[in-house]
Amino acid sequence: MPLYDDAFVGRERELAELLSLLRKHRMLTLVGAAGVGKTRLAVEVSLRARRTEVRTVELGKLSRSDQVVQAFAEAVGVYQHAGVALRTTLLHELANRRILLLVDNCEHLVEECCDVVDALLSRCPNVQVLATSREALRAVGEAVYPLHGMDGDAVRLFTDRAGTTGDQDAIAAVCARLDGVPLAVELAAKLSRSVPPHELANRLDHRLDLLSDVDEQARHQSLRAAIAWSHDLLTAQEKELFRRLALLPGGFGLEIAQVVHGSPVIGLLSALQAKSLVVRENDGRFRMLESVRLYAEERLREQDGYDVTAERIIAWLCERGEPGVTSSILAPEQLKALHREYDNVAYAFAHLVALQDERRLMLATMLLRVCFDRGYYAEAGAVLMQVLDQSSADARYRTLALEYASLLAGCEQRHDEAVKYAMAAVETAEAGGQHLVMCRLYRTLASAYEGAGDVPSTLWALRQSIEHGVRNGNEVSVAVSSQNLGWALLIRGDADGAAELVEGALPALKAHARPDVVAIAVHTSGCIALERGDLTTASARFAESARIAAKLPRAVLESVEGCGLVAMLSGRHELGVRLLAACQQMRTAWVVPAEPWWRRKMEAALDAARESLSRTAFARALNAGQAMDVRHALETALDKEIVRDGVLSDRQRMVVELVAQGMTNAQVAGKLGISHRTVESHVHNVKAVLNLSSRAQLVAWAQSN
């Protein structure tokens, strides 16, 4: 067995799984990329397997197929007999031996190794084989165990090999950049004795030169040599595809892989995956480990294909971004495609496209769209700084950059600049005849006006958006603008106008829009019902909105809050307090402030609950809500029967009786020693619970009840 001077670190889960597999299978192969630690793990498994006899068959140094049988024979102490084939002697002498063979580094002699292993397993019942390879042997009865980089254990390995704990955050960053590949981590740990980890993390783009060990003469003396060993075993076509995929650091699907190669790639890609040079992710996409990708890029730059590959990638990515130029709203699948390719777009923007190429502006707008979806505002600002001043006034994609500049200014509370950029986007689009995006641009302008507090201009811009959308047949975009206008009307007291717009928009949104957009519109519908005192409809709409946004924690807050408001108006004060307190806690933690109109609704409801409940009951509900996470709050909102027959609290009944006596709200407040606003809230809530629309109806109800 190979001997090591240092301790084995981590991999406890893998060890347990491999020992279990070894008890069930006679042939087990560890498969993984260069330097991932296959040999070291296999040795540790062998040591823990408690076999009477374990022998190592080292194939790494062999170069000819006829040496394989000899390597097996030498490992187990079998020698050539005169006139008898060595293979025959090997099978005969192992027929009754109970032995575990650790067959290391099979990848370059897969067929020959598989042939010997199949013979051993069929003729020698007490022989067991544990192999390491960068691709499966495909032996009879073979169990294959894919080995990947280390996760949290990578930091432990680095610390152990460096001999110091050091800056744990910097060490974690180094390990993450190295994909947790043990060889790379160990080489980096040795280097950290002279280069601090935080500085090392900044140099890893040149890791193939940086991470080497001149003291070792084996093929793993450097990260480059380890990867080169796998590369040299590829066919010419496999090498060509391998090189070209280097310019896709964000991973790739079959379509873009075929585009960069220029011909079908399924077979070639399967071969690269089998040889551990690409890995397949859970979402079905492929990627290269970053160290492997950097090696492939080195090889690509040595060939004539770099410029051709870069051009193919730029063209393909820009084609994915074209809907953003010609449509006022992106379909969910188009948006998902932008998110999937974000890292590739960022790489193309930074490294592949020329500064003077107008398509750089297109790539920038694709980045900006994803940045805004993910909240990467600093990155968005950096991109805008690079492209706005460098692009000509009539550049085709400048309109979109101006739009994103407006959105960023709005997020950063620079509302006058937001209006300026949005107006420039509208004017540029009009001058360039980009009519299909006018619906969206006017919606962006409305958002800028709203941030600046210009209500008339906000309503005008939204109506302009709808007008342009109807003219151009942008049904979904019109629906989004209608929802926005409906909300603007609702918070200004026009519930009927809001209802007409929002109910008209919902069918198109439910059929074509993203879940978060649909959830917002359904929530608005719930708010309209709440404002009209229709608690049953409001409860149903808030619950529907919550279900739609269930997988989007931040988007679900307002729907859960809506359920809380309905609960309070239905007399279920403790439940309502719990839900509002839970959401309030999450808004604070996530820095997601509520809109002023909605915030006032919740504050009034909490004030009313504080008056209706005893101090102990209110505090109990408040504490219970603050202890909830978003999932618990959502489940509580959806599992409880929110609306039930109207039940007035004792305090609400006292208010109603005094109102029935002809007292004003101010007089009631003075009589009960509570605030004027609390009395107004009680009166409003009682009318909602009892489905009454006027104070006169409230007085009539009190006199008959």
Side-chain angles (χ1 to χ4, degrees):
M1 294 286 289
L3 298 176
Y4 296 94
D5 295 331
D6 45 33
F8 182 83
V9 176
R11 297 283 202 196
E12 294 302 323
R13 177 182 59 81
E14 290 91 339
L15 280 168
E17 291 173 350
L18 286 165
L19 287 168
S20 176
L21 287 170
L22 205 56
R23 287 191 289 270
K24 300 173 184 175
H25 302 277
R26 293 180 60 208
M27 172 61 196
L28 175 60
T29 305
L30 275 69
V31 174
V36 80
K38 299 182 294 295
T39 299
R40 188 66 188 270
L41 180 58
V43 169
E44 192 67 21
V45 170
S46 300
L47 290 172
R48 300 190 188 192
R50 298 183 180 178
R51 294 293 189 273
T52 304
E53 185 178 8
V54 181
R55 299 288 178 138
T56 301
V57 184
E58 173 54 60
L59 303 182
K61 297 178 181 179
L62 306 187
S63 58
R64 303 194 316 273
S65 59
D66 60 356
Q67 295 175 307
V68 173
V69 173
Q70 184 177 342
F72 273 85
E74 289 178 358
V76 298
V78 171
Y79 302 98
Q80 182 87 48
H81 289 226
V84 181
L86 181 58
R87 176 185 170 118
T88 301
T89 304
L90 174 68
L91 295 174
H92 176 74
E93 296 212 13
L94 291 184
N96 297 308
R97 276 171 68 176
R98 184 174 297 277
I99 187 171
L100 171 63
L101 298 178
L102 170 53
V103 187
D104 198 25
N105 302 310
C106 307
E107 54 271 351
H108 60 308
L109 296 165
V110 168
E111 291 185 13
E112 296 79 4
C113 185
C114 180
D115 185 49
V116 175
V117 167
D118 278 344
L120 285 169
L121 295 177
S122 64
R123 300 273 297 278
C124 308
N126 295 314
V127 169
Q128 192 171 23
V129 176
L130 174 61
T132 73
S133 178
R134 296 182 193 180
E135 63 177 303
L137 303 188
R138 299 177 182 84
V140 175
E142 178 185 25
V144 178
Y145 187 91
L147 187 61
H148 306 291
M150 305 171 83
D151 296 323
D153 287 338
V155 173
R156 289 177 54 201
L157 179 65
F158 187 105
T159 301
D160 181 86
R161 300 303 190 254
T164 178
T165 54
D167 183 341
Q168 289 291 292
D169 290 339
I171 291 173
V174 168
C175 293
R177 289 284 309 277
L178 296 174
D179 295 298
V181 173
L183 171 63
V185 170
E186 292 197 13
L187 292 172
K190 292 180 181 180
L191 187 62
S192 71
R193 297 166 188 167
S194 55
V195 180
H198 69 273
E199 186 178 336
L200 184 58
N202 296 327
R203 295 188 181 186
L204 288 180
D205 285 343
H206 306 287
R207 69 189 68 179
L208 298 177
D209 294 316
L210 200 62
L211 301 182
S212 61
D213 191 338
V214 296
D215 297 329
E216 296 184 18
Q217 298 303 315
R219 60 186 176 84
H220 278 181
Q221 64 182 342
S222 71
L223 195 56
R224 177 183 284 108
I227 300 168
W229 171 267
S230 291
H231 172 265
D232 293 345
L233 299 176
L234 300 177
T235 66
Q237 280 194 311
E238 289 167 357
K239 286 178 180 176
E240 182 180 3
L241 176 60
F242 173 74
R243 292 192 299 266
R244 290 174 180 253
L245 293 175
L247 301 188
L248 294 169
F252 45 90
L254 285 174
E255 183 182 358
I256 182 59
Q258 182 162 315
V259 167
V260 299
H261 189 58
S263 59
V265 295
I266 293 179
L268 296 175
L269 200 54
S270 296
L272 293 179
Q273 182 187 5
K275 295 170 182 176
S276 302
L277 287 170
V278 302
V279 295
R280 191 163 193 174
E281 307 281 39
N282 292 334
D283 61 1
R285 284 166 65 85
F286 297 87
R287 76 176 181 96
M288 288 178 166
L289 297 181
E290 183 62 10
S291 300
V292 174
R293 190 193 69 78
L294 290 172
Y295 178 86
E297 187 176 349
E298 280 188 354
R299 302 283 74 79
L300 181 64
R301 289 182 182 278
E302 294 172 357
Q303 307 297 320
D304 297 330
Y306 186 93
D307 291 339
V308 171
T309 304
E311 175 56 33
R312 289 175 179 176
I313 290 172
I314 294 167
W316 187 85
L317 290 173
C318 287
E319 186 180 338
R320 305 282 82 71
E322 191 63 28
V325 183
T326 58
S327 172
S328 262
I329 196 163
L330 295 180
E333 187 49 47
Q334 292 170 327
L335 191 59
K336 286 179 184 176
L338 291 184
H339 279 264
R340 279 196 302 267
E341 301 300 338
Y342 176 79
D343 290 332
N344 289 330
V345 174
Y347 185 81
F349 176 78
H351 301 288
L352 302 185
V353 69
L355 289 176
Q356 65 275 16
D357 191 330
E358 186 177 288
R359 293 175 302 175
R360 189 165 185 265
L361 191 53
M362 162 62 106
L363 294 172
T365 64
M366 296 169 70
L367 291 177
L368 289 166
R369 177 60 208 247
V370 179
C371 283
F372 276 92
D373 277 355
R374 297 180 179 178
Y376 297 169
Y377 299 124
E379 289 89 336
V383 170
L384 283 166
M385 286 179 62
Q386 292 185 62
V387 295
L388 273 182
D389 294 337
Q390 297 172 358
S391 62
S392 61
D394 60 349
R396 180 167 182 251
Y397 309 121
R398 184 174 174 80
T399 299
L400 303 184
L402 289 167
E403 180 187 14
Y404 286 117
S406 173
L407 292 171
L408 181 62
C411 290
E412 296 177 345
Q413 307 296 309
R414 295 180 284 111
H415 300 301
D416 290 342
E417 286 184 50
V419 171
K420 181 190 75 172
Y421 281 124
M423 284 296 298
V426 168
E427 291 165 1
T428 303
E430 287 178 339
Q434 294 174 277
H435 304 298
L436 293 176
V437 293
M438 296 302 291
C439 179
R440 187 181 77 213
L441 295 181
Y442 271 107
R443 190 163 59 245
T444 300
L445 178 59
S447 177
Y449 278 134
E450 185 176 23
D454 187 343
V455 175
S457 295
T458 299
L459 301 180
W460 169 81
L462 284 171
R463 291 189 172 103
Q464 286 291 308
S465 173
I466 293 170
E467 182 181 320
H468 279 279
V470 170
R471 185 184 306 154
N472 294 315
N474 302 140
E475 180 188 18
V476 182
S477 193
V478 167
V480 173
S481 295
S482 296
Q483 132 67 33
N484 291 0
L485 181 57
W487 176 261
L489 295 178
L490 173 64
I491 64 177
R492 290 166 179 83
D494 185 2
D496 292 338
E500 182 179 352
L501 285 163
V502 174
E503 296 305 318
L506 277 172
L509 293 176
K510 288 182 177 180
H512 303 293
R514 298 193 330 253
D516 58 323
V517 175
V518 179
I520 290 170
V522 175
H523 175 269
T524 302
S525 178
C527 292
I528 294 168
L530 192 69
E531 198 70 0
R532 288 172 161 179
D534 183 355
L535 296 185
T536 301
T537 301
S539 177
R541 291 297 171 87
F542 288 138
E544 180 186 357
S545 176
R547 291 188 186 96
I548 293 170
K551 295 182 179 179
L552 307 165
R554 297 185 185 215
V556 86
L557 285 178
E558 289 187 341
S559 302
V560 173
E561 288 166 343
C563 293
L565 288 176
V566 171
M568 289 182 175
L569 293 174
S570 300
R572 308 194 66 182
H573 300 291
E574 288 197 49
L575 172 60
V577 171
R578 289 203 304 274
L579 293 176
L580 293 191
C583 292
Q584 200 171 60
Q585 184 94 338
M586 286 178 272
R587 283 187 181 278
T588 301
W590 295 340
V591 195
V592 182
E595 291 195 28
W597 181 84
W598 188 240
R599 187 182 67 249
R600 289 193 295 271
K601 290 278 185 191
M602 292 187 289
E603 288 173 350
L606 285 170
D607 286 344
R610 193 177 284 107
E611 294 290 337
S612 300
L613 296 170
S614 68
R615 182 177 298 179
T616 301
F618 184 84
R620 181 174 61 242
L622 197 67
N623 291 334
Q626 290 172 346
M628 288 182 179
D629 60 15
V630 65
R631 181 177 177 182
H632 186 191
L634 178 61
E635 289 174 349
T636 301
L638 295 179
D639 288 349
K640 300 290 184 182
E641 181 187 353
I642 299 295
V643 178
R644 64 184 186 187
D645 293 336
V647 177
L648 303 186
S649 67
D650 291 341
R651 179 55 64 96
Q652 287 175 327
R653 283 195 170 278
M654 292 172 64
V655 169
V656 171
E657 288 172 3
L658 294 174
V659 168
Q661 293 173 18
M663 288 189 181
T664 64
N665 287 353
Q667 291 170 329
V668 173
K671 178 76 172 177
L672 298 179
I674 58 179
S675 70
H676 182 271
R677 193 177 75 171
T678 299
V679 174
E680 286 182 343
S681 178
H682 278 314
V683 172
H684 174 81
N685 291 346
V686 168
K687 287 193 294 184
V689 169
L690 302 177
N691 198 22
L692 305 175
S693 59
S694 68
R695 197 177 184 92
Q697 288 178 333
L698 180 61
V699 171
W701 180 89
Q703 291 172 347
S704 61
N705 288 273

